[in-house]
């Protein structure tokens, strides 16, 4: 039985071990974007992460590849995300397709990028709770290897993916889809090696084998098909195909159950691959996400809220801080099926600055996936390249707010966009004579 008895936490005096202008909590793609951007904008910046490395879902979650957020073959995420890719490439970990990467090298690259921007790092510190002073966060408490520690910033950026900081600070949030509050399913990604890829059936044939195995009851994953990708190693295949539905990633009991269920599915998959799929006879399990992949949980209510109807209308804003054309991509929160709605080839939608600014706390911004949008919009901008750019926008805004001594809600969103342009995020494109998109003169990679 759970939850029937309680204990009292004793009051304690906790040492403030670090202070900074901008404190970023969470070092996934969003946190990387936020921390590097804030530091480049001149803020003393601290990035605090619960694990011993950066990358979040890209590394600890074993998620691969970077999904394309492109228009006419050109990348829309040209800021910190591009720099991260360049660093991964330089260290020999990026495939020529520009999207498949070696996750170990992605860790190294993210850390190098932070250190070279002057970001201070604190690992092995798990955000616990904020100490509030009115509508502001005064300090954040972390559980660490040294016991409880505190850090203090002028402005905080919540990049925990699950909006842990915002939720504990009392911000209102939405959870999952509007009809029943179920979030997209969780997935433990895994890689297998020693695959004779020359003999592998094509995607269609693998899916037919998968369908047969499901019908026969030997595979019990609720997914409708088998999703796999090639990797940086020709004999290694990456699977993004387990599916755990109707579990809340912010509830430790449900999260534990989800980890166990996903690994149960992996055991079934391995036996099926070895026995039924050509080329996999000798395969071995190489890695599983060390944390189950969480697609969706909380979305913080901001001073602006972006809805599906707006992005389907390809909305643009003077303070648009992200351009995105990755499809609406909703894995069924309750079972089989995936809804995929693409945008026109030469088009994108924009996210206004206010989606990063919580309504309820004054010195906090949200970066990465849990921003103020509905379930459908979240399903599009949650992928790693735009998540990194959303973090970058929050980081730039945090640095500006700290420097000016004002709340992020008081910043002019157009000025935040201009600052992002200054960091090279924004390739402002316009239609050329032949309808092709081209970069507007005078924009591109400038310095902060
Ligand atoms: C199964 C799955 C498959 C996906 N497939 C793809 C794909 O193929 N391509 C793609 O581009 N995107 C994909 N995505 C989406 C993408 O990986 C995430 O949406 C993206 O990583 C979000 O970035 P983020 O920084 O907001 O969050 P995260 O990547 O989740 O990073 C959050 C960070 O915060 C840290 N953190 C969390 N809580 C705390 C705390 N309390 N204290 C301290 N630190 C904390 C975490 O350890 C982590 O480092 C997939 C996601 C999942 C789950």
């Amino acid at each position: 039985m759970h939850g029937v008895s309680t204990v009292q936490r004793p009051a304690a005096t906790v040492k403030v071990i670090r202070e900074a202008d901008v404190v970023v909590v969470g070092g996934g793609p969003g946190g990387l974007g936020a921390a590097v951007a804030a530091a480049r904008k001149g803020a003393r910046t601290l990035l605090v992460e619960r694990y011993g490395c950066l990358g979040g879902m890209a590394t600890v979650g074993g998620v691969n590849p970077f999904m394309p957020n492109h228009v006419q073959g050109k990348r829309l995420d040209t800021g910190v995300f591009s720099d991260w890719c360049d660093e991964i490439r330089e260290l020999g970990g990026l495939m020529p397709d520009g999207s498949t990467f070696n996750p170990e090298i992605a860790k190294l690259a993210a850390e190098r990028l932070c250190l070279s921007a002057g970001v201070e790092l604190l690992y092995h510190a798990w955000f616990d709770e904020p100490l509030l002073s009115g509508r502001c966060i005064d300090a954040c408490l972390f559980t660490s290897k040294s016991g409880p520690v505190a850090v203090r910033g002028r402005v905080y950026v919540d990049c925990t993916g699950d909006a842990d900081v915002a939720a504990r600070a009392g911000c209102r949030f939405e959870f999952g889809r509007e009809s029943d509050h179920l979030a997209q399913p969780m997935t433990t990604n895994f890689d297998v090696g020693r695959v004779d890829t020359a003999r592998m059936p094509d995607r269609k044939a693998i899916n037919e084998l998968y369908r047969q195995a499901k019908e026969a009851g030997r595979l019990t994953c609720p997914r409708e098909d088998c999703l796999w990708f090639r990797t940086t190693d020709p004999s290694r295949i990456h699977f993004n195909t387990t599916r755990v539905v109707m579990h809340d990633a912010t509830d430790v009991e449900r999260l534990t159950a989800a980890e166990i269920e996903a690994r149960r599915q992996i055991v079934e998959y391995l036996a099926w691959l070895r026995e039924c799929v050509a080329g996999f006879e000798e395969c071995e399990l190489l890695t599983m996400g060390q944390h189950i992949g969480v697609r969706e949980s909380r979305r913080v209510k901001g001073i602006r809220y972006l809805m599906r109807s707006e992005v389907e209308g390809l909305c643009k804003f003077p303070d648009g801080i992200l351009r995105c054309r990755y499809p609406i991509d909703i894995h069924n929160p309750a079972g089989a099926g995936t809804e995929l709605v693409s945008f026109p080839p030469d088009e994108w939608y924009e996210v206004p600055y206010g989606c990063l600014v919580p309504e309820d706390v004054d010195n906090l911004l949200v970066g990465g996936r849990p921003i103020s949008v509905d379930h459908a919009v979240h399903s599009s901008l949650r992928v790693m390249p735009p998540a990194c750019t959303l973090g970058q926008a929050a980081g730039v805004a945090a640095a500006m707010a700290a420097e000016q001594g004002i709340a992020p809600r008081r910043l002019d969103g157009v000025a935040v966009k201009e600052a992002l342009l200054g960091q090279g995020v924004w390739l402002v494109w316009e239609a050329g004579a032949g309808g092709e998109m081209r970069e507007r003169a005078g924009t591109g990679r400038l310095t902060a």
Side-chain angles (χ1 to χ4, degrees):
M1 280 224 294
H2 298 293
V4 290
S5 65
T6 60
V7 293
Q8 216 60 46
R9 183 146 80 168
T13 301
V14 178
K15 192 168 163 193
V16 177
I17 60 165
R18 303 274 190 104
E19 300 202 40
D21 298 323
V22 174
V23 173
V24 178
V25 184
L32 175 65
V36 171
R40 285 182 182 168
K41 196 88 185 78
R44 183 170 179 197
T45 304
L46 173 68
L47 172 53
V48 193
E49 163 59 42
R50 67 180 161 184
Y51 298 129
C53 65
L54 300 176
M57 282 296 139
T59 58
V60 174
V63 168
N64 219 313
F66 295 125
M67 281 293 148
N69 183 28
H70 290 168
V71 169
Q72 292 190 355
K74 291 185 183 180
R75 186 185 279 163
L76 287 167
D77 302 286
T78 53
V80 176
F81 176 72
S82 284
D83 295 343
W84 189 21
C85 288
D86 290 348
E87 195 81 31
I88 297 172
R89 184 183 292 111
E90 203 169 292
L91 293 169
L94 193 69
M95 294 290 279
D97 68 5
S99 59
T100 307
F101 59 93
N102 175 313
E104 298 307 316
I105 289 185
K107 287 179 195 170
L108 300 176
E111 190 171 87
R112 279 163 58 112
L113 206 55
C114 281
L115 295 176
S116 63
V119 174
E120 297 171 31
L121 295 171
L122 182 63
Y123 289 132
H124 298 294
W126 191 298
F127 170 78
D128 187 2
E129 61 178 307
L131 297 177
L132 292 168
S133 167
R135 282 176 55 96
C136 286
I137 298 175
D138 175 34
C140 283
L141 295 176
F142 289 81
T143 299
S144 79
K145 195 67 182 167
S146 335
V149 293
V151 305
R152 178 173 277 136
R154 299 169 72 189
V155 181
Y156 297 82
V157 188
D158 184 343
C159 292
T160 59
D162 295 322
D164 286 357
V165 181
R168 300 260 169 77
C171 292
R172 282 164 289 173
F173 57 83
E174 294 183 340
F175 198 104
R177 64 185 173 190
E178 290 73 22
S179 56
D180 55 12
H181 308 297
L182 288 177
Q184 288 207 47
M186 288 185 256
T187 295
T188 296
N189 286 1
F190 63 98
D191 283 17
V192 302
R194 283 208 312 251
V195 182
D196 184 354
T197 47
R199 292 195 299 111
M200 261 176 72
D202 64 16
R203 273 183 204 282
K204 205 168 153 214
I206 290 182
N207 279 339
E208 179 51 26
L209 293 168
Y210 178 81
R211 196 190 56 74
Q212 289 167 11
K214 276 199 66 163
E215 257 178 37
R218 83 171 286 172
L219 287 178
T220 54
C221 170
R223 235 196 109 92
E224 64 282 7
D225 58 8
C226 178
L227 183 60
W228 57 271
F229 298 90
R230 292 189 183 272
T231 69
T232 51
D233 173 346
S235 66
R236 177 174 180 150
I237 298 292
H238 172 72
F239 288 91
N240 175 348
T241 205
T242 61
R243 177 169 288 189
V244 181
V245 294
M246 297 190 279
H247 282 54
D248 173 352
T250 63
D251 175 331
V252 68
E253 296 286 1
R254 302 297 284 160
L255 196 53
T256 300
E259 294 278 10
I260 293 168
E261 165 57 16
R263 287 196 275 267
R264 186 196 66 76
Q265 292 178 14
I266 290 173
V267 172
E268 279 186 358
Y269 267 109
L270 288 173
W272 169 69
L273 287 167
R274 287 184 188 127
E275 287 167 35
C276 303
V277 187
F280 284 87
E281 296 85 351
E282 304 296 325
C283 76
E284 70 167 330
L285 178 63
L286 295 179
T287 57
M288 295 183 288
Q290 290 154 52
H291 187 302
I292 191 168
V294 179
R295 289 189 175 80
E296 183 187 19
S297 58
R298 305 182 183 104
R299 301 185 308 274
V300 178
K301 291 296 285 292
I303 58 173
R304 180 71 170 83
Y305 180 79
L306 195 64
M307 292 181 295
R308 179 179 189 142
S309 55
E310 292 173 280
V311 309
E312 286 184 337
L314 303 166
C315 51
K316 312 282 190 301
F317 302 97
D319 64 345
I321 45 77
L322 174 79
R323 290 182 163 187
C324 189
R325 82 165 288 273
Y326 183 73
I328 290 173
D329 176 8
I330 305 175
H331 300 234
N332 184 355
T338 303
E339 181 189 0
L340 206 60
V341 181
S342 297
F343 297 101
D346 296 343
E347 266 294 358
W348 62 83
Y349 68 88
E350 294 182 358
V351 175
Y353 169 62
C355 292
L356 313 181
V357 183
E359 269 185 343
D360 299 314
V361 172
D362 283 344
N363 62 342
L364 178 66
L365 285 139
V366 181
R369 68 179 160 83
I371 64 165
S372 181
V373 296
D374 70 16
H375 173 68
V377 180
H378 173 278
S379 77
S380 161
L381 53 72
R382 70 189 169 88
V383 293
M384 294 183 277
C388 189
T389 303
L390 288 168
Q392 180 159 8
V396 161
M400 291 169 70
E403 193 195 3
Q404 295 171 34
I406 59 172
R409 69 163 68 234
R410 302 271 167 242
L411 288 173
D412 174 4
V414 177
V416 175
K417 174 181 169 176
E418 289 298 323
L420 281 168
L421 252 170
Q423 288 199 346
V425 168
W426 209 253
L427 293 179
V428 181
W429 290 344
E430 56 190 8
E436 81 287 358
M437 302 303 288
R438 65 180 187 205
E439 196 177 327
R440 196 173 77 195
T443 58
R445 275 174 188 271
L446 311 172
T447 55

Short mmCIF file of all heavy atoms in Angstrom, two decimals, residues 393-423:
data_model
loop_
_atom_site.label_atom_id
_atom_site.label_comp_id
_atom_site.label_asym_id
_atom_site.label_seq_id
_atom_site.Cartn_x
_atom_site.Cartn_y
_atom_site.Cartn_z
N ALA A 393 16.24 30.67 -26.94
CA ALA A 393 15.43 31.89 -26.80
C ALA A 393 15.22 32.22 -25.32
O ALA A 393 15.32 33.38 -24.91
CB ALA A 393 14.08 31.70 -27.50
N ALA A 394 14.95 31.18 -24.52
CA ALA A 394 14.75 31.42 -23.09
C ALA A 394 16.05 31.91 -22.44
O ALA A 394 16.03 32.79 -21.56
CB ALA A 394 14.26 30.14 -22.41
N GLY A 395 17.18 31.36 -22.88
CA GLY A 395 18.47 31.75 -22.31
C GLY A 395 18.82 33.20 -22.63
O GLY A 395 19.29 33.96 -21.77
N VAL A 396 18.58 33.59 -23.87
CA VAL A 396 18.83 34.98 -24.27
C VAL A 396 17.95 35.93 -23.46
O VAL A 396 18.41 36.95 -22.93
CB VAL A 396 18.57 35.14 -25.79
CG1 VAL A 396 18.36 36.59 -26.16
CG2 VAL A 396 19.73 34.56 -26.59
N ALA A 397 16.67 35.56 -23.34
CA ALA A 397 15.74 36.42 -22.59
C ALA A 397 16.14 36.49 -21.13
O ALA A 397 16.07 37.56 -20.50
CB ALA A 397 14.32 35.88 -22.74
N ALA A 398 16.58 35.36 -20.57
CA ALA A 398 16.99 35.36 -19.15
C ALA A 398 18.17 36.29 -18.94
O ALA A 398 18.22 37.06 -17.96
CB ALA A 398 17.34 33.93 -18.73
N ALA A 399 19.13 36.24 -19.86
CA ALA A 399 20.30 37.12 -19.74
C ALA A 399 19.89 38.59 -19.85
O ALA A 399 20.39 39.45 -19.10
CB ALA A 399 21.33 36.77 -20.81
N MET A 400 18.97 38.88 -20.76
CA MET A 400 18.51 40.27 -20.93
C MET A 400 17.78 40.75 -19.67
O MET A 400 17.99 41.87 -19.20
CB MET A 400 17.60 40.38 -22.16
CG MET A 400 18.34 40.19 -23.47
SD MET A 400 17.22 40.00 -24.89
CE MET A 400 16.54 41.64 -25.05
N ALA A 401 16.91 39.87 -19.14
CA ALA A 401 16.15 40.25 -17.95
C ALA A 401 17.08 40.47 -16.76
O ALA A 401 16.91 41.43 -15.99
CB ALA A 401 15.11 39.17 -17.63
N ALA A 402 18.08 39.59 -16.62
CA ALA A 402 19.02 39.72 -15.49
C ALA A 402 19.81 41.02 -15.63
O ALA A 402 20.01 41.76 -14.66
CB ALA A 402 19.95 38.51 -15.45
N GLU A 403 20.25 41.31 -16.85
CA GLU A 403 21.05 42.51 -17.06
C GLU A 403 20.23 43.78 -16.79
O GLU A 403 20.71 44.73 -16.18
CB GLU A 403 21.58 42.54 -18.50
CG GLU A 403 22.66 43.58 -18.68
CD GLU A 403 22.94 43.89 -20.14
OE1 GLU A 403 22.27 43.33 -21.03
OE2 GLU A 403 23.83 44.72 -20.37
N GLN A 404 18.98 43.77 -17.25
CA GLN A 404 18.15 44.97 -17.10
C GLN A 404 17.45 45.03 -15.74
O GLN A 404 16.81 46.03 -15.41
CB GLN A 404 17.10 45.01 -18.22
CG GLN A 404 17.71 45.18 -19.60
CD GLN A 404 16.67 45.00 -20.72
OE1 GLN A 404 15.52 45.36 -20.58
NE2 GLN A 404 17.10 44.45 -21.84
N GLY A 405 17.55 43.94 -14.98
CA GLY A 405 16.91 43.91 -13.67
C GLY A 405 15.39 43.96 -13.75
O GLY A 405 14.74 44.56 -12.89
N ILE A 406 14.82 43.34 -14.78
CA ILE A 406 13.36 43.33 -14.91
C ILE A 406 12.86 41.89 -15.08
O ILE A 406 13.64 40.98 -15.38
CB ILE A 406 12.88 44.17 -16.13
CG1 ILE A 406 13.49 43.65 -17.45
CG2 ILE A 406 13.20 45.64 -15.92
CD1 ILE A 406 12.91 44.31 -18.68
N ALA A 407 11.58 41.71 -14.90
CA ALA A 407 10.99 40.38 -15.07
C ALA A 407 10.94 40.05 -16.56
O ALA A 407 10.72 40.94 -17.39
CB ALA A 407 9.57 40.36 -14.51
N PRO A 408 11.14 38.77 -16.93
CA PRO A 408 11.07 38.39 -18.35
C PRO A 408 9.78 38.85 -19.03
O PRO A 408 9.79 39.18 -20.21
CB PRO A 408 11.17 36.87 -18.29
CG PRO A 408 11.96 36.59 -17.06
CD PRO A 408 11.57 37.65 -16.07
N ARG A 409 8.68 38.91 -18.29
CA ARG A 409 7.42 39.34 -18.91
C ARG A 409 7.47 40.80 -19.36
O ARG A 409 6.67 41.23 -20.18
CB ARG A 409 6.24 39.12 -17.97
CG ARG A 409 6.25 40.03 -16.76
CD ARG A 409 4.91 40.10 -16.05
NE ARG A 409 4.58 38.85 -15.41
CZ ARG A 409 3.44 38.19 -15.61
NH1 ARG A 409 2.54 38.66 -16.45
NH2 ARG A 409 3.20 37.08 -14.96
N ARG A 410 8.39 41.57 -18.77
CA ARG A 410 8.50 43.00 -19.14
C ARG A 410 9.38 43.22 -20.37
O ARG A 410 9.46 44.32 -20.89
CB ARG A 410 9.09 43.81 -17.98
CG ARG A 410 8.31 43.73 -16.70
CD ARG A 410 7.22 44.80 -16.60
NE ARG A 410 6.32 44.50 -15.52
CZ ARG A 410 5.01 44.25 -15.65
NH1 ARG A 410 4.43 44.31 -16.84
NH2 ARG A 410 4.25 43.96 -14.61
N LEU A 411 10.07 42.17 -20.82
CA LEU A 411 10.93 42.33 -22.00
C LEU A 411 10.06 42.49 -23.25
O LEU A 411 8.98 41.91 -23.35
CB LEU A 411 11.81 41.10 -22.19
CG LEU A 411 12.97 40.88 -21.22
CD1 LEU A 411 13.60 39.52 -21.49
CD2 LEU A 411 14.01 41.99 -21.35
N ASP A 412 10.58 43.24 -24.20
CA ASP A 412 9.92 43.35 -25.50
C ASP A 412 10.31 42.09 -26.30
O ASP A 412 11.50 41.87 -26.57
CB ASP A 412 10.43 44.63 -26.18
CG ASP A 412 9.92 44.76 -27.60
OD1 ASP A 412 9.11 43.91 -28.03
OD2 ASP A 412 10.34 45.73 -28.27
N GLY A 413 9.32 41.29 -26.67
CA GLY A 413 9.60 40.04 -27.39
C GLY A 413 10.34 40.28 -28.70
O GLY A 413 11.13 39.44 -29.15
N VAL A 414 10.07 41.43 -29.32
CA VAL A 414 10.77 41.74 -30.59
C VAL A 414 12.27 41.92 -30.32
O VAL A 414 13.12 41.51 -31.11
CB VAL A 414 10.15 42.99 -31.26
CG1 VAL A 414 10.91 43.35 -32.53
CG2 VAL A 414 8.67 42.74 -31.57
N ALA A 415 12.59 42.52 -29.16
CA ALA A 415 14.00 42.70 -28.81
C ALA A 415 14.66 41.34 -28.54
O ALA A 415 15.84 41.14 -28.87
CB ALA A 415 14.12 43.61 -27.58
N VAL A 416 13.90 40.41 -27.96
CA VAL A 416 14.45 39.06 -27.74
C VAL A 416 14.73 38.42 -29.09
O VAL A 416 15.79 37.81 -29.31
CB VAL A 416 13.46 38.19 -26.92
CG1 VAL A 416 13.98 36.76 -26.80
CG2 VAL A 416 13.22 38.80 -25.54
N LYS A 417 13.80 38.56 -30.02
CA LYS A 417 14.01 38.00 -31.36
C LYS A 417 15.25 38.62 -32.02
O LYS A 417 16.06 37.92 -32.62
CB LYS A 417 12.77 38.26 -32.21
CG LYS A 417 12.93 37.85 -33.65
CD LYS A 417 11.67 38.14 -34.43
CE LYS A 417 11.94 37.98 -35.91
NZ LYS A 417 10.74 38.17 -36.72
N GLU A 418 15.40 39.94 -31.88
CA GLU A 418 16.56 40.61 -32.47
C GLU A 418 17.87 40.07 -31.85
O GLU A 418 18.87 39.88 -32.55
CB GLU A 418 16.48 42.13 -32.27
CG GLU A 418 15.42 42.81 -33.11
CD GLU A 418 15.66 42.66 -34.61
OE1 GLU A 418 16.82 42.71 -35.04
OE2 GLU A 418 14.67 42.47 -35.36
N ALA A 419 17.82 39.84 -30.54
CA ALA A 419 19.02 39.31 -29.86
C ALA A 419 19.34 37.91 -30.37
O ALA A 419 20.52 37.54 -30.52
CB ALA A 419 18.81 39.32 -28.36
N LEU A 420 18.31 37.15 -30.65
CA LEU A 420 18.53 35.80 -31.20
C LEU A 420 19.15 35.89 -32.59
O LEU A 420 20.05 35.13 -32.94
CB LEU A 420 17.20 35.05 -31.30
CG LEU A 420 16.70 34.46 -29.99
CD1 LEU A 420 15.26 33.99 -30.14
CD2 LEU A 420 17.58 33.29 -29.55
N LEU A 421 18.64 36.84 -33.36
CA LEU A 421 19.23 37.09 -34.68
C LEU A 421 20.71 37.38 -34.54
O LEU A 421 21.53 36.87 -35.30
CB LEU A 421 18.55 38.31 -35.29
CG LEU A 421 17.60 38.11 -36.43
CD1 LEU A 421 16.86 39.41 -36.71
CD2 LEU A 421 18.34 37.66 -37.66
N GLY A 422 21.03 38.17 -33.55
CA GLY A 422 22.42 38.53 -33.29
C GLY A 422 23.27 37.33 -32.94
O GLY A 422 24.48 37.33 -33.15
N GLN A 423 22.64 36.29 -32.39
CA GLN A 423 23.39 35.06 -32.08
C GLN A 423 23.34 34.08 -33.25
O GLN A 423 23.75 32.93 -33.11
CB GLN A 423 22.80 34.40 -30.83
CG GLN A 423 23.12 35.15 -29.54
CD GLN A 423 22.96 34.29 -28.30
OE1 GLN A 423 22.38 33.22 -28.33
NE2 GLN A 423 23.50 34.75 -27.19
#
